[in-house]
Amino acid sequence: MTLTAERALLIPILDALVPPSGDFPGAGTVALDHILAAAAASPDLDALLSRALRAIAEAAGANRFASMSEDDRETVLRRVEESQPEAFAALVRHTYFGYYGDPTIITALGLDPTPVQPRGHQPDPLEPPDLARVTQRGPLYR
């Protein structure tokens, strides 16, 4: 499967996993770049995702996944989840990472998407542990 074909198949799959709702876009819009970047960075992940996409394409058969009804898409995804659990789990995990880690979604959830540090918050300095008892004991050898 070519990269263009994988990308075309991946968008409706991601939207089936996390569909658009209200002000929230679907994962096909938000998580696609994360998944492609993660796959490009890891040959193992790339192989898992490719295996999941091939299994979904095969399970969809002549009916192209993108043109299926929501119920049919769900049936196909459940079938692949059963037949390729490791590959399907990687697909779902990275879909969620890409979706819920996106600043657009974080903001839509009412959270601040900027990193916690640095925003003027200084961590409390750590108190060094009291090692007096340990050093008074001296070296112990067996």
Side-chain angles (χ1 to χ4, degrees):
M1 192 178 292
T2 68
L3 180 60
T4 305
E6 282 185 348
R7 187 180 183 104
L9 177 60
L10 193 53
I11 292 170
I13 291 170
L14 298 178
D15 280 341
L17 292 171
V18 182
S21 175
D23 292 338
F24 291 88
T29 305
V30 177
L32 180 66
D33 290 338
H34 167 81
I35 289 176
L36 294 175
S42 168
D44 292 337
L45 178 61
D46 185 43
L48 281 173
L49 293 177
S50 292
R51 190 169 54 183
L53 292 178
R54 276 192 309 274
I56 292 168
E58 288 172 14
N63 303 324
R64 299 194 44 127
F65 188 84
S67 63
M68 295 177 133
S69 70
E70 283 184 39
D71 289 341
D72 290 342
R73 286 180 183 187
E74 187 174 327
T75 300
V76 166
L77 292 177
R78 286 186 190 281
R79 193 176 311 144
V80 172
E81 181 180 22
E82 290 172 7
S83 67
Q84 298 287 334
E86 183 184 11
F88 189 80
L91 174 63
V92 171
R93 183 174 49 256
H94 283 281
T95 299
Y96 289 168
F97 287 165
Y99 188 79
Y100 291 107
D102 187 87
T104 306
I105 301 304
I106 294 171
T107 301
L109 290 169
L111 303 171
D112 184 1
T114 58
V116 176
Q117 290 291 349
R119 277 193 268 158
H121 300 290
Q122 295 297 320
D124 293 334
L126 294 175
E127 293 288 326
D130 183 13
L131 300 176
R133 281 186 25 219
V134 175
T135 55
Q136 287 174 359
R137 222 177 17 203
L140 299 174
Y141 300 99
R142 288 185 179 227

